[in-house]
Amino acid sequence: MSTHRETQGAPRYDQPAPNLSSAGSTTGKLTSDGQSHLESSSTKESLFSYYSTRDMAEYLRKIDGRSYNVLNDSYFLPSDETEWERLDKQHIAFIIGLKSLVPCPDVVKACLAPAPGVTRSILDLGCGTGIWALDMAREYPHASVVGVDLAPTPVEADSTPPNCRFELDDVNMGLSHFYDSFDVVHARLISSGIKDYRKMMEEAERCLKPGGVVIFVDYDAQFCAEDQVSRQPMAETNENGSWLVRCSHEMRNGAPLRGSDIMGMEKSLDEGLWDHDLCDPETAQAGSLFLPIGAWPRVPNITKTQEMQFSGALIRQDYTNVFGAVLLVFSRMGIPSDVVEQWKPRVIEELESSRLHMWARTRLAWARRREAPGMPAPPLPISPAPETEASQSIRDAGPTSISPDNNAVDSAPIPISSKGEILKDYQFLHLYKTKEECVAAAKFRDESLGPVPVPWVLQVMAAAQAAAGANPPKQ
């Protein structure tokens, strides 16, 4: 895990001025003394050394005691120590679920295979604390890693690998300065700050070299029930519904009013990359990563039970912290304070008790760039190891169909615990091989949700519009 402790008076990295136009960002490079003077490779703009203690106010603003980025109002979560700790714990939960830093480790390994005279390169869009970029830089020391984010990345120069650097940038302004440059492009959980998700995807894909792989990872704000295929019912309109889901319903509907294209993200990732012009459809795949909210799962395998319960504890902390930040956003959205005060203890009780067995689902989609328009992706320098028939069955099977020994499907008796409980062998990862599979799974989830209340944020907006209509401004 990365550290956020600051060395008094020492800069974290040389940092270019924020990208406030479509011209693109400039390149920053980590230093230890702040005496260097660098230039952008594309624009020849001078760079300055960013000091955490001196220049933080330039990039962050305080609202209700929390720090937020100054570049993009759409992204509503904070950028401070509490948020950094949350993101690093979330990162660990993702690694546990994926068993890797990425959902397609063999493809990434092949794309980053060393080759004479070739510099492999990785781009992390919306890098947050920088932990994914740092881990990739350490795992692939021969590759150059660039992390981009709206706010200064909280890393120390002396603890950062020499092959990793960070930049301040708003992805919404375009990525033309990165076109045709990277073997791997990664964008994880950035949709709340994206104004046009499909356009961002296309920009990210253009940053790839031919044959490079793009990976999109983003959240499902509606959550899944214990069966992993249907939606968790929502409180207020469903008996025994979830108050966490009810509050997430507000954020999902309120985010577009702040400029976030969350709905566009949902549609884009639930359709996968099969139809994207730059992507080879034969290399496209999509999936769902399921992480439990709370340490409630018990499965036949003890090690897997420990993994699920540990990741569940991390995700419960994750959503507890997110909920605290979201409460501040609710007030700015105009939701009545008495309503928010009613929701607060109910959500906290639900998270602490784990009485509802829910999954936080994360959307996954990836594909490789074509060699040229209309052509397939070039052959990988190293062929990914093919999955065995048994392992492929395990990855594709539903949440209750795997036997305890993880070698046969639907062939063993239902496992029973010492207390007489039926143990289901839940899966972290569900994969979809075609667009039709991906869309069908999304359609089933959405149709299973049941009735939902009218969001307060839409009621507030409608009331404001009605008031404006009744009292039009004087000409």
Side-chain angles (χ1 to χ4, degrees), residues 4 39 52 67 76 88 170 188 228 236-238 240 279 345:
H4 307 306
E39 291 183 336
S52 58
S67 298
F76 56 83
D88 282 357
D170 185 350
R188 186 173 75 183
Q228 296 186 313
E236 285 190 359
T237 51
N238 297 272
N240 297 320
C279 294

Side-chain angles (χ1 to χ4, degrees), residues 12 38 96 122 126 135 151 158-159 240 291 337-338 362 367 374 427:
R12 283 194 275 213
L38 306 178
I96 293 172
I122 303 166
D135 282 352
D158 57 4
S159 64
N240 297 320
L291 297 173
S337 58
D338 60 325
T362 302
Q427 301 300 309

